[in-house]
C-alpha cells in the first residue's frame, strides 16, 4: 500500500468526524430552540389562562354585586328569601326568571309607547 492511500483514508476519516460534529451541533441547537419555543408557548398559555380566569372572576364579582343589589326583586320573582342561591343551577334559574320578567315589562312598555 502506498503512502497516499493511507493519507486519503485518514483524510476521509477526519472529514467524516468533522461532519459528524457539525451535525451533532446543529441537532443540539435545533433541539435547544425547540425546547425554548415549547417553554415560551407554555408560559404564554399559562398567562392567557390566568388572564381569562381573572377576567371571569371580575365579571362574576360584578354580577354578584348586581345580583345582590337586585336580590329583593329576584327573591320576589322566584319565591326565595333573598339569600344567594346555593348552587349554579339555582342561580341560572333565577336569572332566567328575571330575564323573562324583564322581557314582559319591556313588551308592556313598547305597547304603551
Amino acid at each position: 500500500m502506498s503512502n497516499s492511500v493511507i493519507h486519503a483514508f485518514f483524510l476521509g476519516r477526519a472529514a467524516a468526524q468533522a461532519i459528524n460534529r457539525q451535525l451533532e451541533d446543529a441537532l443540539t441547537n435545533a433541539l435547544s430552540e425547540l425546547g425554548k419555543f415549547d417553554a415560551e408557548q407554555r408560559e404564554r398559555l399559562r398567562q392567557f389562562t390566568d388572564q381569562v380566569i381573572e377576567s371571569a372572576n371580575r365579571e362574576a364579582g360584578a354580577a354578584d354585586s348586581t345580583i345582590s343589589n337586585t336580590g329583593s326583586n329576584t327573591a320576589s320573582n322566584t319565591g326565595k328569601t333573598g339569600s344567594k342561591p346555593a348552587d349554579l343551577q339555582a342561580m341560572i334559574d333565577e336569572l332566567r326568571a328575571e330575564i323573562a320578567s324583564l322581557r314582559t315589562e319591556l313588551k308592556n312598555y313598547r305597547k304603551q309607547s
Side-chain angles (χ1 to χ4, degrees):
M1 291 236 178
S2 74
N3 195 14
S4 63
V5 173
I6 295 173
H7 183 68
F9 169 77
F10 284 111
L11 184 65
R13 182 175 170 191
Q17 288 174 344
I19 290 171
N20 190 18
R21 278 192 299 268
Q22 292 290 326
L23 287 174
E24 186 177 301
D25 288 343
L27 181 62
T28 301
N29 289 338
L31 290 176
S32 175
E33 290 298 320
L34 182 62
K36 287 179 188 177
F37 176 76
D38 183 48
E40 289 171 357
Q41 292 304 313
R42 287 177 187 264
E43 180 63 20
R44 286 183 185 142
L45 180 61
R46 187 193 62 76
Q47 289 174 351
F48 176 74
T49 303
D50 290 345
Q51 288 173 350
V52 169
I53 290 171
E54 182 180 323
S55 176
N57 289 338
R58 275 195 310 258
E59 290 180 18
D64 284 345
S65 66
T66 303
I67 289 173
S68 66
N69 290 340
T70 61
S72 60
N73 188 18
T74 303
S76 64
N77 287 341
T78 61
K80 295 203 174 197
T81 62
S83 64
K84 291 185 180 178
D87 60 327
L88 183 62
Q89 188 60 46
M91 180 184 283
I92 291 172
D93 292 342
E94 286 181 12
L95 290 173
R96 285 182 179 160
E98 189 172 343
I99 289 170
S101 172
L102 291 173
R103 283 184 180 169
T104 303
E105 290 190 30
L106 184 61
K107 277 185 183 178
N108 290 338
Y109 177 78
R110 286 181 181 168
K111 284 181 184 178
Q112 292 174 359
S113 297

